[in-house]
């Protein structure tokens, strides 16, 4: 993952954090990568970087979410990086393809936002912190999609009638809608 490691450091270094809180996340992520050559691998414990994408319609009125089986919650798409991922956005694209069944979408290669959150089901060693780099994807709500083995359901939701989820998901959706409506 050394090429991916270098790419992740470059991406996060040049990314213009949109707020002081996002700048703090960036500093934490870069510090983690400086301390851990394996900081992008699932095996890095107790924290590692992950990548994902939130999918919105071109008009910003709808969002595609998956009801994640293990988390039992409506979430964006994403997960662990793999050795074949050449960049954070490539990892987010792969996860999106695997988890949503979407084949037609536009992925913005600049991160939308960063988030750090605890995940209890990631490792048998205990709770893991996912240092999540989140990207924006835009897709037509009529495009074919399907749930993967990791999901109970994949569904488009009106942004003014979202399902119950975590506060960071609402913030992510707000950021994605704001960027699309620009």
């Amino acid at each position: 993952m050394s090429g991916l490691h270098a790419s992740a450091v470059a991406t996060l270094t040049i990314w213009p954090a949109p707020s002081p809180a996002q700048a703090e996340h960036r500093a934490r992520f870069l510090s983690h990568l400086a301390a851990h050559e394996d900081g992008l691998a699932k095996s890095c414990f107790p924290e590692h970087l992950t990548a994902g994408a939130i999918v919105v319609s071109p008009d910003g009125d709808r969002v595609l979410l998956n009801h994640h089986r293990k988390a039992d919650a409506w979430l964006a798409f994403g997960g662990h990086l793999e050795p074949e991922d050449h960049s954070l956005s490539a990892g987010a694209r792969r996860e999106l393809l695997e988890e949503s069944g979407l084949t037609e979408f536009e992925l913005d290669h600049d991160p939308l936002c960063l988030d750090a959150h605890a995940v209890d089901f990631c490792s048998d060693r205990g709770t893991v912190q996912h240092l999540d780099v989140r990207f924006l994807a835009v897709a037509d709500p009529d495009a074919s999609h399907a749930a993967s083995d990791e999901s109970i359901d994949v569904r488009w939701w009106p942004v003014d009638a979202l399902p119950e989820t975590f506060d960071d998901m609402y913030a992510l959706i707000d950021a994605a809608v704001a960027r699309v409506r620009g």
Side-chain angles (χ1 to χ4, degrees):
M1 281 200 195
S2 62
L4 175 57
H5 190 278
S7 174
V9 168
T11 295
L12 293 171
T13 299
I14 64 170
W15 179 65
S19 71
Q22 288 292 292
E24 287 178 23
H25 278 313
R26 179 182 56 203
R28 176 181 176 186
F29 291 20
L30 287 168
S31 176
H32 173 76
L33 290 173
H36 302 279
E37 185 62 33
D38 67 342
L40 296 149
K42 181 180 180 180
S43 60
C44 188
F45 186 83
E47 60 186 17
H48 48 259
L49 267 71
T50 56
I54 184 71
V55 182
V56 298
S57 61
D59 59 10
D61 289 344
R62 300 182 70 172
V63 61
L64 185 67
L65 299 174
N66 84 93
H67 190 175
H68 193 276
R69 189 172 304 283
K70 288 183 181 178
D72 191 25
W74 288 98
L75 303 172
F77 304 92
H80 295 104
L81 293 152
E82 301 291 342
E84 65 269 14
D85 297 329
H86 61 274
S87 67
L88 293 168
S89 65
R93 172 180 289 282
R94 179 187 46 73
E95 286 288 336
L96 178 56
L97 286 165
E98 291 173 1
E99 295 180 356
S100 73
L102 281 175
T103 57
E104 295 182 28
F105 57 86
E106 292 181 30
L107 182 74
D108 187 338
H109 296 283
D110 294 325
L112 177 63
C113 64
L114 310 177
D115 185 67
H117 53 272
V119 179
D120 294 328
F121 54 80
C122 180
S123 173
D124 57 5
R125 294 183 283 177
T127 300
V128 172
Q129 285 286 316
H130 278 186
L131 308 179
D132 200 23
V133 182
R134 296 170 167 180
F135 294 85
L136 170 66
V138 177
D140 186 325
D142 293 328
S144 177
H145 61 278
S148 71
D149 292 341
E150 295 179 34
S151 301
I152 296 168
D153 191 10
V154 173
R155 182 183 313 172
W156 284 97
W157 293 88
V159 295
D160 58 357
L162 295 169
E164 186 175 329
T165 188
F166 301 106
D167 288 343
D168 69 295
M169 282 294 109
Y170 296 126
L172 175 61
I173 293 164
D174 288 347
V177 167
R179 186 179 283 182
V180 166
R181 292 181 178 168

